[in-house]
Amino acid sequence: MGEGDQAESSLLGTATGYFVQFDLNDNGGYSSSPADTIMFAGTGMDGIHFSFLTDFGSVTDLSLAPIIRVDPMDFGKCAKIVAKNIRDFFALHFSAHEGLLLNDFEAKEHYLAYLKEQEGDDEEENEYFDKKKWQRQKNEVRDNAMQRFGFQPILDGYAYMQEVRRARWNELIVTTSDGLGVTVWGTSVDCLNRPLPHPWHMKEIPKRKVERLKSYIASAEQAGLFGFIRDCQVLGVDDYEVIQAICDQLISLGLPLEAKRLAYCMDIS
């Protein structure tokens, strides 16, 4: 780009509006950032970030990994599936569904009302900020990205996201309190022979019964352990001995990166 183009782009901050990064060791750094995720973008507000969900190493090709939003301030509901894969994530973004990626809406009419409200805000004059120039720059970036990367517009973003979340739910072999659950890619599980969840499934985990928790971790079946890890992160189980026992077990299962991320975000590294 020439100097004039750079000046024109200055109102956007970044081309996508996100702070893009990639580090295999970084899941976002919050206790609510799932251990089996890799952060690729942050919003710069309230700790909200977007990550690849690897399902504890089941997904080896990140282009196929589901994308989640982690909002550390949304206690108990911090992690949500937002796209089937990275291409769909950016297709949603450049199809003007940024608000859908950042927020949850109880019904489609609520989302449509939000969009209408946003349109009204864009039309308001602001002496401190040239919204028309900003919107023009956004449209230019959107058009260039859609053409360069071959993104297909997603017209009904709300329906798309609901379908992605339904599909995820149908794939789960163990449910968890954060809604992400546990699934195993590339395998089919008989509905009558699903693995058992951990003993405190959908209950309060007894944080003070450290030895009991450590005993479970040492003997847990893999799917139950993964569900236990998700619930520990959601419910704030942060005892050093418990988290260290989980990390040791993850390493024994051949998941050292997940162990490293968990130790980091639970502040025991």
Side-chain angles (χ1 to χ4, degrees):
M1 294 191 301
E3 292 183 2
D5 294 328
Q6 291 178 348
E8 272 290 296
S9 297
S10 63
L11 290 183
L12 294 181
T14 65
T16 61
Y18 306 128
F19 299 96
V20 179
Q21 64 162 71
F22 185 80
D23 181 346
L24 284 173
N25 296 312
D26 190 357
N27 65 333
Y30 287 84
S31 60
S32 54
S33 304
D36 58 333
T37 61
I38 303 167
M39 175 181 170
F40 68 86
T43 65
M45 58 182 185
D46 296 330
I48 297 172
H49 52 282
F50 298 99
S51 301
F52 298 100
L53 179 64
T54 69
D55 282 314
F56 292 97
S58 292
V59 186
T60 56
D61 182 348
L62 291 182
S63 70
L64 303 177
I67 304 301
I68 69 167
R69 177 188 70 240
V70 179
D71 182 351
M73 300 297 105
D74 192 5
F75 303 109
K77 301 179 291 181
C78 297
K80 293 289 182 66
I81 297 279
V82 294
K84 183 178 180 180
N85 53 50
I86 189 68
R87 286 189 62 84
D88 282 6
F89 172 84
F90 282 110
L92 276 169
H93 175 78
F94 289 119
S95 297
H97 293 301
E98 304 102 311
L100 193 60
L101 290 168
L102 288 168
N103 305 283
D104 274 323
F105 300 90
E106 292 183 4
K108 187 172 183 178
E109 52 266 31
H110 295 165
Y111 178 52
L112 295 177
Y114 166 84
L115 290 178
K116 190 172 182 179
E117 181 180 337
Q118 294 299 110
E119 289 176 2
D121 289 344
D122 289 343
E123 293 172 0
E124 292 181 6
E125 293 294 332
N126 189 325
E127 60 179 307
Y128 302 106
F129 184 71
D130 189 339
K131 288 189 176 181
K132 291 182 179 179
K133 180 179 178 181
W134 174 77
Q135 188 61 56
R136 183 176 72 251
Q137 292 171 355
K138 279 188 64 178
N139 292 341
E140 290 172 356
V141 169
R142 176 199 65 202
D143 294 344
N144 288 337
M146 297 292 272
Q147 181 176 0
R148 179 176 178 181
F149 297 104
F151 296 136
Q152 295 300 312
I154 298 177
L155 300 180
D156 192 337
Y158 185 86
Y160 165 87
M161 194 170 291
Q162 293 301 305
E163 178 54 36
V164 168
R165 290 175 177 176
R166 274 194 297 270
R168 172 74 183 185
W169 180 261
N170 290 334
E171 293 170 351
L172 299 184
I173 58 174
V174 170
T175 59
T176 54
S177 54
D178 63 358
L180 294 181
V182 177
T183 185
V184 180
W185 282 52
T187 63
S188 58
V189 178
D190 188 334
C191 291
L192 298 177
N193 295 291
R194 290 181 180 272
L196 292 174
H198 63 82
W200 309 279
H201 179 248
M202 296 306 176
K203 302 175 184 177
E204 192 70 22
I205 295 175
K207 301 178 184 180
R208 297 183 180 180
K209 296 184 178 180
V210 174
E211 292 305 317
R212 185 180 176 190
L213 297 180
K214 288 169 60 179
S215 176
Y216 170 73
I217 293 165
S219 61
E221 292 186 0
Q222 189 166 289
L225 175 66
F226 293 162
F228 178 73
I229 295 171
R230 293 214 192 286
D231 287 342
C232 280
Q233 290 197 253
V234 172
L235 299 175
V237 177
D238 58 359
D239 181 88
Y240 177 90
E241 290 187 46
V242 173
I243 301 303
Q244 187 61 63
I246 292 173
C247 290
D248 291 343
Q249 195 68 5
L250 285 171
I251 291 171
S252 74
L253 292 172
L255 299 171
L257 284 176
E258 285 75 4
K260 188 173 184 178
R261 296 186 204 116
L262 183 64
Y264 169 64
C265 73
M266 300 302 283
D267 198 26
I268 72 161
S269 56

